[in-house]
Amino acid sequence: MPYRHVAVFRFSALGDVAMTVPVVYEVCRAYPGIRFTLFTKKTVAPLFVYPPDNLTVFPVDTKGRYRGFAGLWRLYRDMKSQGIDAIADLHNVLRTRVVGFFFAISGVKRAILDKGRVAKRRLVARKKPLPIQPLPTSFDRYRQVFARLGFETPKTFRSVFDDRHFPLPLPEGIESRREGEFWIGVAPFAKHEGKIYPLDRSESLVARLSQREDCRVFLMGGGGEEADLLGGWAEKYPRVVSLAGKRLGFAVELSMMSRMTLVVSMDSANMHLASMAGTPVVSVWGQTHPYAGFLGWRQSKENIIQLSDLSCRPCSIFGNKPCYRGDYACMQELSVERIWNRVEEILRREKK
């Protein structure tokens, strides 16, 4: 392998950055004699807990030192001083293309992510060929970038935690898991409306789970209104704890997820965080579809909850488009019973 120091780009969003972790960790561990530096936004850099010894995470302040075109030139100069001799661009946006171009004209080899935009547009078109077919996953696309640089990526990643890297202690106020007790995470929010299950039904799921004396439910979400709502649920139902808005940090949140029996999540960053921790996820899909390639790492297709026979799905890759029917049938017609039954099946298996 002719490289000594490989730069990896992926700046946002949180879920997409989380999806790089399995592939990047695999490549680094497969090539311990090569240095890798992952350049990502400052806010998500702490996500890379227990990185391989040959991986450095470089937090890029895009609102400070590396802001604007002058900032990109400054980033290039700072990177060049580190002896970068190959670029793996896992983002393929203007920022990464500009910096990559600077390296390319100086003779540095680079490989750029193929986002598959044309195929994704066909997948979400109103008049789409049926039945729809799965596209390559984001993990496959990231692997292809490394393959174009000559790297093979064995599928060995299970969790950021292993025999040498243990989860952090529980946050203050959280009692240890009792023998025979199930810990269930519920993450009812997502960035866009088309990916959020009706909150009254999510609450009914939480209420039902709270009736089981062998279960403790942990609610996950952001601050502000999300924290207020989930805090209300925690006060209303027994054996329910809200972690929303606690600002525990990625390492603690991942440690908590690693202890959970399962997580119920939308197509959101929490699905990918739980996947990083090796925890099964019952994932709920509305406007978006797993066939777009964003199902969590090593997540079972059996745990996907969606309306497969709704012909207008998927209508969006990211869930950020208004429903052209106006009724969000993809979520409104999805019964909470289906989610409950899937959770029950996983718990039955765990008891055996």
Side-chain angles (χ1 to χ4, degrees), residues 232-259:
W233 293 1
E235 292 178 2
K236 191 174 181 180
Y237 303 108
R239 294 174 288 277
V240 177
V241 178
S242 176
L243 303 176
K246 302 295 185 185
R247 298 184 180 276
L248 300 173
F250 288 124
V252 175
E253 291 174 2
L254 289 168
S255 296
M256 281 294 298
M257 288 182 173
S258 74
R259 294 178 169 96

mmCIF file of all heavy atoms in Angstrom, residues 232-259:
data_model
loop_
_atom_site.group_PDB
_atom_site.id
_atom_site.type_symbol
_atom_site.label_atom_id
_atom_site.label_comp_id
_atom_site.label_asym_id
_atom_site.label_seq_id
_atom_site.Cartn_x
_atom_site.Cartn_y
_atom_site.Cartn_z
ATOM 1 N N GLY A 232 -42.670 15.156 30.582
ATOM 2 C CA GLY A 232 -44.051 14.953 31.011
ATOM 3 C C GLY A 232 -44.453 13.493 30.982
ATOM 4 O O GLY A 232 -45.142 12.994 31.880
ATOM 5 N N TRP A 233 -44.036 12.785 29.940
ATOM 6 C CA TRP A 233 -44.330 11.354 29.866
ATOM 7 C C TRP A 233 -43.675 10.608 31.030
ATOM 8 O O TRP A 233 -44.282 9.708 31.621
ATOM 9 C CB TRP A 233 -43.823 10.758 28.547
ATOM 10 C CG TRP A 233 -44.524 11.244 27.318
ATOM 11 C CD1 TRP A 233 -45.528 12.168 27.254
ATOM 12 C CD2 TRP A 233 -44.263 10.842 25.972
ATOM 13 N NE1 TRP A 233 -45.917 12.373 25.949
ATOM 14 C CE2 TRP A 233 -45.166 11.571 25.142
ATOM 15 C CE3 TRP A 233 -43.377 9.958 25.387
ATOM 16 C CZ2 TRP A 233 -45.166 11.418 23.749
ATOM 17 C CZ3 TRP A 233 -43.380 9.807 24.000
ATOM 18 C CH2 TRP A 233 -44.273 10.527 23.201
ATOM 19 N N ALA A 234 -42.446 10.976 31.345
ATOM 20 C CA ALA A 234 -41.713 10.299 32.423
ATOM 21 C C ALA A 234 -42.400 10.510 33.769
ATOM 22 O O ALA A 234 -42.404 9.615 34.625
ATOM 23 C CB ALA A 234 -40.275 10.796 32.473
ATOM 24 N N GLU A 235 -42.978 11.697 33.973
ATOM 25 C CA GLU A 235 -43.688 11.965 35.221
ATOM 26 C C GLU A 235 -45.023 11.232 35.274
ATOM 27 O O GLU A 235 -45.517 10.869 36.346
ATOM 28 C CB GLU A 235 -43.925 13.475 35.367
ATOM 29 C CG GLU A 235 -42.652 14.278 35.594
ATOM 30 C CD GLU A 235 -42.941 15.766 35.678
ATOM 31 O OE1 GLU A 235 -44.131 16.141 35.593
ATOM 32 O OE2 GLU A 235 -41.987 16.556 35.818
ATOM 33 N N LYS A 236 -45.575 10.995 34.117
ATOM 34 C CA LYS A 236 -46.931 10.428 34.027
ATOM 35 C C LYS A 236 -46.954 8.914 34.199
ATOM 36 O O LYS A 236 -47.931 8.359 34.725
ATOM 37 C CB LYS A 236 -47.511 10.809 32.661
ATOM 38 C CG LYS A 236 -48.985 10.537 32.464
ATOM 39 C CD LYS A 236 -49.411 11.120 31.115
ATOM 40 C CE LYS A 236 -50.884 10.920 30.828
ATOM 41 N NZ LYS A 236 -51.268 11.493 29.503
ATOM 42 N N TYR A 237 -45.873 8.235 33.772
ATOM 43 C CA TYR A 237 -45.892 6.780 33.732
ATOM 44 C C TYR A 237 -44.780 6.196 34.612
ATOM 45 O O TYR A 237 -43.683 6.765 34.700
ATOM 46 C CB TYR A 237 -45.731 6.278 32.293
ATOM 47 C CG TYR A 237 -46.784 6.809 31.358
ATOM 48 C CD1 TYR A 237 -46.473 7.767 30.390
ATOM 49 C CD2 TYR A 237 -48.109 6.384 31.452
ATOM 50 C CE1 TYR A 237 -47.434 8.269 29.531
ATOM 51 C CE2 TYR A 237 -49.086 6.883 30.605
ATOM 52 C CZ TYR A 237 -48.746 7.831 29.650
ATOM 53 O OH TYR A 237 -49.716 8.334 28.816
ATOM 54 N N PRO A 238 -45.051 5.055 35.243
ATOM 55 C CA PRO A 238 -44.018 4.440 36.095
ATOM 56 C C PRO A 238 -42.916 3.790 35.261
ATOM 57 O O PRO A 238 -43.121 3.420 34.107
ATOM 58 C CB PRO A 238 -44.807 3.374 36.872
ATOM 59 C CG PRO A 238 -45.940 3.000 35.954
ATOM 60 C CD PRO A 238 -46.306 4.276 35.240
ATOM 61 N N ARG A 239 -41.736 3.686 35.860
ATOM 62 C CA ARG A 239 -40.591 3.006 35.245
ATOM 63 C C ARG A 239 -40.183 3.649 33.910
ATOM 64 O O ARG A 239 -39.701 2.984 33.010
ATOM 65 C CB ARG A 239 -40.877 1.509 35.060
ATOM 66 C CG ARG A 239 -41.012 0.752 36.383
ATOM 67 C CD ARG A 239 -41.438 -0.686 36.161
ATOM 68 N NE ARG A 239 -42.816 -0.776 35.743
ATOM 69 C CZ ARG A 239 -43.869 -0.758 36.573
ATOM 70 N NH1 ARG A 239 -43.675 -0.646 37.873
ATOM 71 N NH2 ARG A 239 -45.100 -0.836 36.123
ATOM 72 N N VAL A 240 -40.427 4.938 33.787
ATOM 73 C CA VAL A 240 -40.051 5.682 32.579
ATOM 74 C C VAL A 240 -39.106 6.813 32.976
ATOM 75 O O VAL A 240 -39.393 7.577 33.904
ATOM 76 C CB VAL A 240 -41.288 6.264 31.849
ATOM 77 C CG1 VAL A 240 -40.860 7.092 30.643
ATOM 78 C CG2 VAL A 240 -42.214 5.126 31.407
ATOM 79 N N VAL A 241 -37.985 6.898 32.281
ATOM 80 C CA VAL A 241 -36.957 7.903 32.561
ATOM 81 C C VAL A 241 -36.695 8.687 31.281
ATOM 82 O O VAL A 241 -36.518 8.101 30.210
ATOM 83 C CB VAL A 241 -35.640 7.243 33.032
ATOM 84 C CG1 VAL A 241 -34.565 8.308 33.272
ATOM 85 C CG2 VAL A 241 -35.868 6.404 34.278
ATOM 86 N N SER A 242 -36.670 10.005 31.386
ATOM 87 C CA SER A 242 -36.348 10.832 30.217
ATOM 88 C C SER A 242 -34.881 11.242 30.256
ATOM 89 O O SER A 242 -34.399 11.781 31.258
ATOM 90 C CB SER A 242 -37.230 12.083 30.181
ATOM 91 O OG SER A 242 -36.832 12.917 29.093
ATOM 92 N N LEU A 243 -34.187 10.967 29.162
ATOM 93 C CA LEU A 243 -32.799 11.409 28.997
ATOM 94 C C LEU A 243 -32.710 12.635 28.102
ATOM 95 O O LEU A 243 -31.619 13.139 27.843
ATOM 96 C CB LEU A 243 -31.965 10.272 28.378
ATOM 97 C CG LEU A 243 -31.937 8.939 29.132
ATOM 98 C CD1 LEU A 243 -31.144 7.907 28.332
ATOM 99 C CD2 LEU A 243 -31.350 9.113 30.519
ATOM 100 N N ALA A 244 -33.861 13.111 27.639
ATOM 101 C CA ALA A 244 -33.900 14.204 26.665
ATOM 102 C C ALA A 244 -33.356 15.494 27.266
ATOM 103 O O ALA A 244 -33.695 15.865 28.398
ATOM 104 C CB ALA A 244 -35.327 14.423 26.171
ATOM 105 N N GLY A 245 -32.524 16.159 26.507
ATOM 106 C CA GLY A 245 -32.000 17.449 26.925
ATOM 107 C C GLY A 245 -30.991 17.399 28.045
ATOM 108 O O GLY A 245 -30.611 18.441 28.591
ATOM 109 N N LYS A 246 -30.511 16.218 28.405
ATOM 110 C CA LYS A 246 -29.575 16.082 29.533
ATOM 111 C C LYS A 246 -28.140 16.445 29.165
ATOM 112 O O LYS A 246 -27.302 16.614 30.048
ATOM 113 C CB LYS A 246 -29.605 14.641 30.062
ATOM 114 C CG LYS A 246 -30.972 14.152 30.533
ATOM 115 C CD LYS A 246 -31.467 14.930 31.739
ATOM 116 C CE LYS A 246 -32.775 14.333 32.267
ATOM 117 N NZ LYS A 246 -33.340 15.139 33.367
ATOM 118 N N ARG A 247 -27.850 16.505 27.862
ATOM 119 C CA ARG A 247 -26.495 16.819 27.396
ATOM 120 C C ARG A 247 -25.454 15.904 28.047
ATOM 121 O O ARG A 247 -24.461 16.351 28.624
ATOM 122 C CB ARG A 247 -26.153 18.291 27.664
ATOM 123 C CG ARG A 247 -27.072 19.262 26.937
ATOM 124 C CD ARG A 247 -26.645 20.705 27.135
ATOM 125 N NE ARG A 247 -27.522 21.634 26.448
ATOM 126 C CZ ARG A 247 -27.420 21.963 25.161
ATOM 127 N NH1 ARG A 247 -26.471 21.422 24.423
ATOM 128 N NH2 ARG A 247 -28.263 22.833 24.616
ATOM 129 N N LEU A 248 -25.706 14.620 27.940
ATOM 130 C CA LEU A 248 -24.819 13.628 28.551
ATOM 131 C C LEU A 248 -23.530 13.452 27.768
ATOM 132 O O LEU A 248 -22.535 12.961 28.313
ATOM 133 C CB LEU A 248 -25.548 12.282 28.660
ATOM 134 C CG LEU A 248 -26.827 12.273 29.508
ATOM 135 C CD1 LEU A 248 -27.526 10.933 29.399
ATOM 136 C CD2 LEU A 248 -26.506 12.595 30.960
ATOM 137 N N GLY A 249 -23.550 13.810 26.499
ATOM 138 C CA GLY A 249 -22.397 13.579 25.635
ATOM 139 C C GLY A 249 -22.522 12.248 24.923
ATOM 140 O O GLY A 249 -23.153 11.306 25.407
ATOM 141 N N PHE A 250 -21.904 12.162 23.737
ATOM 142 C CA PHE A 250 -22.056 10.962 22.919
ATOM 143 C C PHE A 250 -21.555 9.707 23.633
ATOM 144 O O PHE A 250 -22.169 8.638 23.535
ATOM 145 C CB PHE A 250 -21.312 11.128 21.592
ATOM 146 C CG PHE A 250 -21.974 12.086 20.641
ATOM 147 C CD1 PHE A 250 -21.269 13.171 20.134
ATOM 148 C CD2 PHE A 250 -23.286 11.919 20.258
ATOM 149 C CE1 PHE A 250 -21.866 14.053 19.252
ATOM 150 C CE2 PHE A 250 -23.902 12.797 19.384
ATOM 151 C CZ PHE A 250 -23.185 13.877 18.873
ATOM 152 N N ALA A 251 -20.435 9.791 24.335
ATOM 153 C CA ALA A 251 -19.861 8.603 24.968
ATOM 154 C C ALA A 251 -20.821 8.013 25.992
ATOM 155 O O ALA A 251 -21.004 6.790 26.062
ATOM 156 C CB ALA A 251 -18.520 8.949 25.615
ATOM 157 N N VAL A 252 -21.452 8.871 26.796
ATOM 158 C CA VAL A 252 -22.396 8.386 27.806
ATOM 159 C C VAL A 252 -23.672 7.874 27.144
ATOM 160 O O VAL A 252 -24.224 6.833 27.537
ATOM 161 C CB VAL A 252 -22.717 9.501 28.824
ATOM 162 C CG1 VAL A 252 -23.799 9.041 29.806
ATOM 163 C CG2 VAL A 252 -21.461 9.912 29.585
ATOM 164 N N GLU A 253 -24.163 8.604 26.133
ATOM 165 C CA GLU A 253 -25.382 8.164 25.441
ATOM 166 C C GLU A 253 -25.175 6.805 24.782
ATOM 167 O O GLU A 253 -26.050 5.920 24.859
ATOM 168 C CB GLU A 253 -25.783 9.207 24.402
ATOM 169 C CG GLU A 253 -26.275 10.514 25.012
ATOM 170 C CD GLU A 253 -26.540 11.586 23.974
ATOM 171 O OE1 GLU A 253 -26.366 11.300 22.765
ATOM 172 O OE2 GLU A 253 -26.924 12.702 24.355
ATOM 173 N N LEU A 254 -24.040 6.613 24.131
ATOM 174 C CA LEU A 254 -23.749 5.318 23.512
ATOM 175 C C LEU A 254 -23.617 4.236 24.576
ATOM 176 O O LEU A 254 -24.050 3.092 24.365
ATOM 177 C CB LEU A 254 -22.474 5.415 22.678
ATOM 178 C CG LEU A 254 -22.578 6.229 21.385
ATOM 179 C CD1 LEU A 254 -21.197 6.502 20.808
ATOM 180 C CD2 LEU A 254 -23.437 5.500 20.357
ATOM 181 N N SER A 255 -23.029 4.568 25.704
ATOM 182 C CA SER A 255 -22.899 3.606 26.800
ATOM 183 C C SER A 255 -24.271 3.187 27.309
ATOM 184 O O SER A 255 -24.509 2.004 27.590
ATOM 185 C CB SER A 255 -22.071 4.206 27.936
ATOM 186 O OG SER A 255 -20.744 4.466 27.531
ATOM 187 N N MET A 256 -25.180 4.146 27.437
ATOM 188 C CA MET A 256 -26.538 3.827 27.853
ATOM 189 C C MET A 256 -27.209 2.917 26.829
ATOM 190 O O MET A 256 -27.833 1.911 27.179
ATOM 191 C CB MET A 256 -27.355 5.109 28.023
ATOM 192 C CG MET A 256 -27.116 5.856 29.319
ATOM 193 S SD MET A 256 -27.666 4.934 30.779
ATOM 194 C CE MET A 256 -29.433 4.788 30.460
ATOM 195 N N MET A 257 -27.082 3.259 25.546
ATOM 196 C CA MET A 257 -27.714 2.451 24.504
ATOM 197 C C MET A 257 -27.159 1.032 24.477
ATOM 198 O O MET A 257 -27.891 0.077 24.193
ATOM 199 C CB MET A 257 -27.533 3.125 23.143
ATOM 200 C CG MET A 257 -28.366 4.374 22.943
ATOM 201 S SD MET A 257 -28.141 5.070 21.284
ATOM 202 C CE MET A 257 -29.384 6.364 21.284
ATOM 203 N N SER A 258 -25.880 0.877 24.757
ATOM 204 C CA SER A 258 -25.273 -0.458 24.728
ATOM 205 C C SER A 258 -25.865 -1.365 25.790
ATOM 206 O O SER A 258 -25.793 -2.592 25.672
ATOM 207 C CB SER A 258 -23.758 -0.355 24.913
ATOM 208 O OG SER A 258 -23.418 -0.053 26.260
ATOM 209 N N ARG A 259 -26.454 -0.786 26.833
ATOM 210 C CA ARG A 259 -27.056 -1.568 27.914
ATOM 211 C C ARG A 259 -28.527 -1.882 27.654
ATOM 212 O O ARG A 259 -29.142 -2.635 28.404
ATOM 213 C CB ARG A 259 -26.925 -0.815 29.235
ATOM 214 C CG ARG A 259 -25.485 -0.642 29.727
ATOM 215 C CD ARG A 259 -25.471 0.164 31.025
ATOM 216 N NE ARG A 259 -24.170 0.149 31.663
ATOM 217 C CZ ARG A 259 -23.249 1.092 31.523
ATOM 218 N NH1 ARG A 259 -23.483 2.121 30.717
ATOM 219 N NH2 ARG A 259 -22.106 1.008 32.171
#
